[in-house]
Amino acid sequence: DGGITQSPKYLFRKEGQNVTLSCEQNLNHDAMYWYRQDPGQGLRLIYYSQIVNDFQKGDIAEGYSVSREKKESFPLTVTSAQKNPTAFYLCASSIYPTNTEAFFGQGTRLTVV
Amino acid sequence: GENVEQHPSTLSVQEGDSAVIKCTYSDSASNYFPWYKQELGKGPQLIIDIRSNVGEKKDQRIAVTLNKTAKHFSLHITETQPEDSAVYFCAAPVYSGAGSYQLTFGKGTKLSVIP
């Protein structure tokens, strides 16, 4: 089945460590996105990529990094510079341009311990 | 102000009653308005969307209306059922520079349907 897969579902990290969240899609979508979700804050855009080997900062990119080496994959690294990383992270993809449906993964809940 | 504002933040209705959630947007060039439903611990799923060339769209118990002049759009759920309980998000494309538009989401509405 076509879809977008995030892994792992739950992730625990010690303070000061970097951690990478995986996102893979087999929908042949050009565009991919990472959102952060906190209670009462809605979905905030971290990074997006409209094409392989290119990506742009979203509204809250500080402390995060991404890569887009393959069309199917858009991993997100939460670095030690992110001051408050505990959150629910959502990956999405869509046909470019973005005035079409975005398909979301099931999310990764990251907890800093 | 916010590019996409959504109200109310919480909504409780009796089973069988209707629910209405409203969103306003700021970018007059926005031309696509989706609504997403998010169940606890899951990713959002598209439930209905509307483009700027129509004023209303229905799909069984859900409908979306769009007023481009006033720059607002609404989600209507009729004959609500307990399984409609979830968080609902509206979204609209907002210009992000260099000829690019990105979907910007409202802050969500937590709908509770009371049996």
Side-chain angles (χ1 to χ4, degrees):
Chain A
D1 286 352
I4 182 163
T5 302
Q6 290 185 243
S7 61
K9 189 171 177 64
Y10 299 96
L11 190 55
F12 296 88
R13 187 195 94 175
K14 292 184 178 180
E15 280 192 31
Q17 288 182 338
N18 293 354
V19 63
T20 297
L21 282 60
S22 171
C23 179
E24 303 276 335
Q25 55 98 358
N26 60 4
L27 300 167
N28 200 33
H29 286 168
D30 290 306
M32 296 187 74
Y33 315 85
W34 275 104
Y35 293 90
R36 171 179 171 141
Q37 187 174 26
D38 297 285
Q41 293 291 322
L43 303 173
R44 292 185 291 169
L45 184 63
I46 304 172
Y47 268 98
Y48 63 97
S49 169
Q50 296 175 335
I51 197 169
V52 174
N53 292 323
D54 186 56
F55 47 83
Q56 307 295 330
K57 292 182 179 180
D59 300 320
I60 55 166
E62 186 175 351
Y64 301 97
S65 66
V66 292
S67 63
R68 187 83 186 279
E69 296 177 0
K70 299 186 300 181
K71 188 175 185 178
E72 302 79 18
S73 179
F74 191 41
L76 173 73
T77 297
V78 184
T79 75
S80 57
Q82 168 50 234
K83 298 304 179 188
N84 186 21
T86 295
F88 190 53
Y89 291 88
L90 287 160
C91 180
S93 69
S94 72
I95 297 170
Y96 174 75
T98 55
N99 57 344
T100 57
E101 178 181 359
F103 291 79
F104 284 86
Q106 292 300 293
T108 292
R109 184 165 297 282
L110 173 64
T111 304
V112 174
V113 297
Chain B
E2 297 286 337
N3 289 317
V4 179
E5 291 191 12
Q6 182 172 346
H7 298 281
S9 57
T10 60
L11 179 61
S12 292
V13 299
Q14 290 293 135
E15 182 177 358
D17 286 350
S18 295
V20 181
I21 304 170
K22 298 181 180 180
C23 283
T24 60
Y25 61 97
S26 58
D27 192 332
S28 57
S30 295
N31 59 2
Y32 173 67
F33 307 93
W35 284 93
Y36 288 83
K37 176 183 181 183
Q38 186 180 27
E39 297 178 344
L40 193 62
K42 297 184 177 181
Q45 284 197 308
L46 182 76
I47 55 172
I48 195 167
D49 56 12
I50 191 169
R51 298 191 180 275
S52 57
N53 56 345
V54 297
E56 184 177 6
K57 183 176 178 181
K58 288 184 180 180
D59 183 2
Q60 298 182 23
R61 295 188 297 108
I62 60 173
V64 56
T65 58
L66 171 65
N67 183 328
K68 283 209 71 180
T69 303
K71 290 191 281 188
H72 68 72
F73 57 111
S74 300
L75 177 70
H76 305 255
I77 305 174
T78 59
E79 301 173 24
T80 53
Q81 301 169 2
E83 51 264 39
D84 294 329
S85 296
V87 179
Y88 291 82
F89 292 96
C90 63
V94 173
Y95 187 66
S96 56
S100 176
Y101 282 79
Q102 299 303 323
L103 272 183
T104 297
F105 288 82
K107 292 191 175 183
T109 297
K110 183 176 181 181
L111 174 64
S112 300
V113 180
I114 304 165

